[in-house]
Amino acid sequence: MFVQEEKIFAGKVLRVHVCTLEGAEWLEEVSEESTIEKLKEKCLKHCAAGSLEDPKSVTHHKLIHATSERVLSDTKTVGEENIQDKDVLILVKKRAPPPPPKMSDVSAEEKRKQDQKAPDKDAILKATANLPSCSVDRTVTQHNMRDFQTELRKILVSLIEVAQKLLALNPDAVELFKKANAMLDESEEDRVDETALRQLTEMGFPENRAVKALQLNHMSVTQAMEWLIEHADDPTADTPLPGQSAPEAAVPSMEAAGGSAAEASGQDTTKDELTEIFKKIRRKREFRPDPRAIIALMEMGFDEKEIVDALRVNNNQQDAACEWLLGDRKPSPEDLDKGIDTSSPLFQAILDNPVVQLGLTNPKTLLAFEDMLENPLNSTQWMNDPETGPVMLQISRIFQTLNRT
């Protein structure tokens, strides 16, 4: 008896479920050895009779495995594609490629793109040549951004005067001064921003050197990191800052000043004594310009004295100082020492606030105001302080509220 060879060696026959997007569905028997292309031909014969007359019909369709969402390869067999019995396949007609655009369509598209293109500088000048010229204040936005900082300085100057008077009128003025002076003369290490110090130590810098870098750079992490990198091999980098090596020297002066104030007779004498002491305290808070910013701005051709003024006005920010030098130079350095109008609604609202009233009797608040005047970058440190933070928060809220109204 004759048996065809292909029947003897035929692979396992699978029954797969085939469906189309048009809703047709049927069962198709296929051997594991059959190619996907052969299976696709059988499916096309079943769902679209006569479609195989077009040789491109097979290539214009594809089979998708429904479970895995894979497109089956025409050159692989059913077994290689790991198709199992009763699997679901979807017969889909491929999307025809878009026809190439006509020359007229290309020209129209290019014209549309040109119409939508933003005008260049020459086109703008040509279109606005006949318009009347007018001066535009380009610094309005910049001034609005600086308004709060400028007004805050004026507020602090006036509040310092009020705090000095309140402390001088207090019966315990001498003791309050001793407390204030002790705060001022305490070691710089105690006043280092802990968050900034932690960031630097986590980078691998020694703690002592990181403390010094922060003190030299007004608690700026970025500038302190640059300083540490520049002085990595500097043998003097670990040398303490002036005044840190002998902190005990401040104690006799404090006691002498406190003693002289205590021995002064009468309230006026005590007030004058404390006023002079507070002036000395303020002189200790001298502004220290960033030396790198000075060098960079001097290379641009600016005068050193003007650069120091610009850095003082703009809190040691090099870019802002450059804009100030190139602009109208407002506010001026002299404006920084002017207080706010004491009869203004803003200042009256601040003085009427009970939190501010209580804070002004605390010597630490006075020191915070003095420090922020000369080192504005330390504002964050004082805002996070449990004693001075509430006062600063109330001042900010009152300013924002009145500014909106």
Side-chain angles (χ1 to χ4, degrees):
M1 180 175 121
F2 177 75
V3 180
Q4 290 185 3
E5 186 179 352
E6 64 178 5
K7 294 293 183 181
I8 296 174
F9 299 102
K12 180 182 177 182
V13 177
L14 304 175
R15 293 168 62 87
V16 294
H17 192 83
V18 184
C19 56
T20 66
L21 297 180
E22 289 76 21
E25 51 183 286
W26 66 93
L27 286 174
E28 195 73 61
E29 291 187 352
V30 61
S31 169
E32 287 183 334
E33 305 298 328
S34 297
T35 62
I36 298 299
E37 186 175 13
K38 292 293 183 183
L39 175 59
K40 194 160 53 175
E41 289 178 1
K42 292 177 67 175
C43 294
L44 288 171
K45 287 179 182 178
H46 186 280
C47 69
S51 64
L52 292 178
E53 295 177 0
D54 183 2
K56 296 182 180 180
S57 181
V58 176
T59 58
H60 286 177
H61 287 76
K62 58 184 176 182
L63 280 171
I64 300 175
H65 192 264
T67 305
S68 63
E69 300 180 359
R70 290 183 294 111
V71 177
L72 305 180
S73 173
D74 290 349
T75 58
K76 291 185 177 181
T77 65
V78 173
E80 290 173 342
E81 287 288 5
N82 197 28
I83 297 175
Q84 305 296 324
D85 196 37
K86 297 183 181 179
D87 276 0
V88 179
L89 305 179
I90 304 172
L91 181 65
V92 180
K93 187 173 183 179
K94 293 180 181 178
R95 187 177 300 170
K102 299 178 182 179
M103 290 303 298
S104 58
D105 295 337
V106 173
S107 300
E109 179 67 16
E110 288 295 327
K111 186 176 184 302
R112 185 181 67 81
K113 288 182 179 179
Q114 289 295 331
D115 292 341
Q116 292 181 348
K117 187 178 178 181
D120 55 16
K121 182 178 179 181
D122 293 336
I124 294 174
L125 292 175
K126 183 178 179 181
T128 59
N130 297 326
L131 295 177
S133 59
C134 59
S135 59
V136 180
D137 188 359
R138 299 177 183 272
T139 62
V140 171
T141 305
Q142 182 181 0
H143 284 171
N144 288 338
M145 293 173 61
R146 260 193 325 221
D147 271 351
F148 177 66
Q149 289 298 329
T150 304
E151 290 300 315
L152 179 60
R153 286 193 62 89
K154 295 180 179 179
I155 293 169
L156 293 179
V157 169
S158 297
L159 287 179
I160 286 171
E161 295 178 1
V162 175
Q164 288 178 359
K165 293 176 181 178
L166 288 175
L167 289 171
L169 293 173
N170 194 298
D172 300 324
V174 175
E175 293 300 321
L176 289 175
F177 161 70
K178 288 182 179 181
K179 183 179 178 182
N181 203 38
M183 290 178 185
L184 183 63
D185 290 332
E186 69 182 355
S187 64
E188 292 290 335
E189 186 177 355
D190 295 335
R191 290 186 276 125
V192 168
D193 190 337
E194 294 297 331
T195 304
L197 179 60
R198 185 169 61 253
Q199 291 180 21
L200 292 176
T201 53
E202 288 175 353
M203 296 178 192
F205 296 111
E207 183 174 346
N208 291 342
R209 196 171 289 194
V211 169
K212 181 177 179 180
L214 288 170
Q215 293 166 352
L216 289 173
N217 293 277
H218 310 291
M219 300 301 155
S220 170
V221 176
T222 304
Q223 295 179 9
M225 183 175 62
E226 292 177 359
W227 185 91
L228 287 166
I229 294 172
E230 290 177 3
H231 296 79
D233 301 323
D234 186 355
T236 63
D238 295 319
T239 305
L241 292 174
Q244 286 187 333
S245 56
E248 299 83 2
V251 176
S253 63
M254 178 189 71
E255 293 175 352
S260 62
E263 293 170 1
S265 59
Q267 183 177 358
D268 292 338
T269 307
T270 303
K271 180 178 177 181
D272 293 340
E273 189 79 20
L274 288 176
T275 301
E276 290 301 318
I277 291 168
F278 287 133
K279 287 181 180 179
K280 293 177 183 178
I281 291 175
R282 187 168 186 182
R283 280 197 292 271
K284 293 181 182 179
R285 301 292 191 181
E286 292 180 356
F287 173 71
R288 292 177 291 180
D290 185 353
R292 287 180 293 256
I294 292 178
I295 295 172
L297 292 171
M298 286 182 67
E299 290 176 351
M300 299 180 190
F302 297 111
D303 179 71
E304 184 175 358
K305 183 179 181 302
E306 294 177 342
I307 292 172
V308 173
D309 289 342
L311 291 173
R312 183 165 181 252
V313 171
N314 294 280
N315 305 336
N316 259 333
Q317 301 297 318
Q318 181 180 323
D319 293 340
C322 183
E323 292 181 8
W324 184 88
L325 289 165
L326 295 171
D328 59 2
R329 304 193 177 189
K330 291 181 180 179
S332 66
E334 292 74 20
D335 293 337
L336 299 181
D337 297 323
K338 293 180 181 178
I340 192 173
D341 182 5
T342 54
S343 61
S344 66
L346 173 60
F347 192 68
Q348 292 299 321
I350 292 173
L351 289 184
D352 290 341
N353 186 280
V355 177
V356 177
Q357 291 176 357
L358 184 62
L360 291 177
T361 61
N362 186 348
K364 192 172 184 179
T365 304
L366 175 63
L367 292 176
F369 291 167
E370 294 282 3
D371 190 29
M372 285 186 287
L373 273 184
E374 302 304 332
N375 301 300
L377 294 177
N378 291 350
S379 299
T380 305
Q381 183 179 349
W382 293 112
M383 286 288 289
N384 295 328
D385 187 276
E387 293 184 58
T388 60
V391 178
M392 297 305 303
L393 181 62
Q394 292 300 320
I395 294 173
S396 176
R397 285 179 175 175
I398 294 170
F399 177 85
Q400 299 296 343
T401 302
L402 292 183
N403 200 33
R404 284 195 295 267
T405 57

